[in-house]
């Protein structure tokens, strides 16, 4: 399994970015894909997740209503559309994959549940 993130960059407050996680070596229906972020000096936090088994999306409260996760089976990507970005969204964003995650509604936020990680993409939001 290989995951490659792209789409990060420098934007101003209120602008949008779309991150993409290109996946290879896996069948989407068997995996939960999660997006996490880590800011300097802070712990890694879950942002959003997409359950492959039932197509349900999950969001952290801090991004609900601003971020949208989606899966493109034809392109083998899971994208994170980020709108109305704030300086506190500044972080390195990672995508991760978990094979046959049990109870995804409860587990998607747990980094330890994920077996494979991408290298990350930097998102910087200036005020």
């Amino acid at each position: 399994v290989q995951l490659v993130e792209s789409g990060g960059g420098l934007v101003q407050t209120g602008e949008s970015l779309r991150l993409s996680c290109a996946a290879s070596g896996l069948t989407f229906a068997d995996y939960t894909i999660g997006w996490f972020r880590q800011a300097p000096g802070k712990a890694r936090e879950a942002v959003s997740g997409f359950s492959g088994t039932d197509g349900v999306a999950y969001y952290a409260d801090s991004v609900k209503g601003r971020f949208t996760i989606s899966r493109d089976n034809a392109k083998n990507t899971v994208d994170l559309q980020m709108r109305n970005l704030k300086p506190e969204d500044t972080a390195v964003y990672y995508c991760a994959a978990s094979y046959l995650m049990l109870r995804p509604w409860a587990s998607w936020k747990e980094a330890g549940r994920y077996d494979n990680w991408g290298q990350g993409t930097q998102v910087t939001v200036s005020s």
Side-chain angles (χ1 to χ4, degrees):
V1 175
Q2 185 175 15
L3 304 172
V4 180
E5 303 95 336
S6 61
L10 171 64
V11 296
Q12 294 185 338
T13 298
E15 293 186 338
S16 300
L17 273 177
R18 187 177 185 91
L19 304 183
S20 185
C21 174
S24 59
L26 59 79
T27 301
F28 266 142
D30 295 334
Y31 283 80
T32 293
I33 304 296
W35 279 98
F36 290 76
R37 66 187 181 187
Q38 188 165 19
K42 295 189 177 180
R44 187 170 297 190
E45 65 168 333
V47 174
S48 182
F50 192 96
S51 172
T53 55
D54 55 15
V56 176
Y58 305 97
Y59 299 96
D61 288 343
S62 59
V63 306
K64 204 170 290 183
R66 299 189 297 123
F67 291 12
T68 304
I69 191 171
S70 61
R71 186 178 72 188
D72 188 327
N73 290 330
K75 296 181 180 179
N76 258 26
T77 63
V78 175
D79 294 346
L80 186 68
Q81 177 67 52
M82 306 186 295
R83 297 180 177 87
N84 190 22
L85 284 162
K86 304 175 181 180
E88 51 263 43
D89 294 318
T90 294
V92 178
Y93 284 70
Y94 301 88
C95 67
S98 175
Y99 180 65
L100 295 180
M101 177 182 282
L102 297 177
R103 302 172 60 200
W105 60 90
S107 302
W108 75 271
K109 290 185 177 181
E110 300 175 23
R113 298 281 186 170
Y114 293 82
D115 313 296
N116 306 94
W117 291 81
Q119 82 290 347
T121 186
Q122 176 71 47
V123 171
T124 303
V125 184
S126 64
S127 57

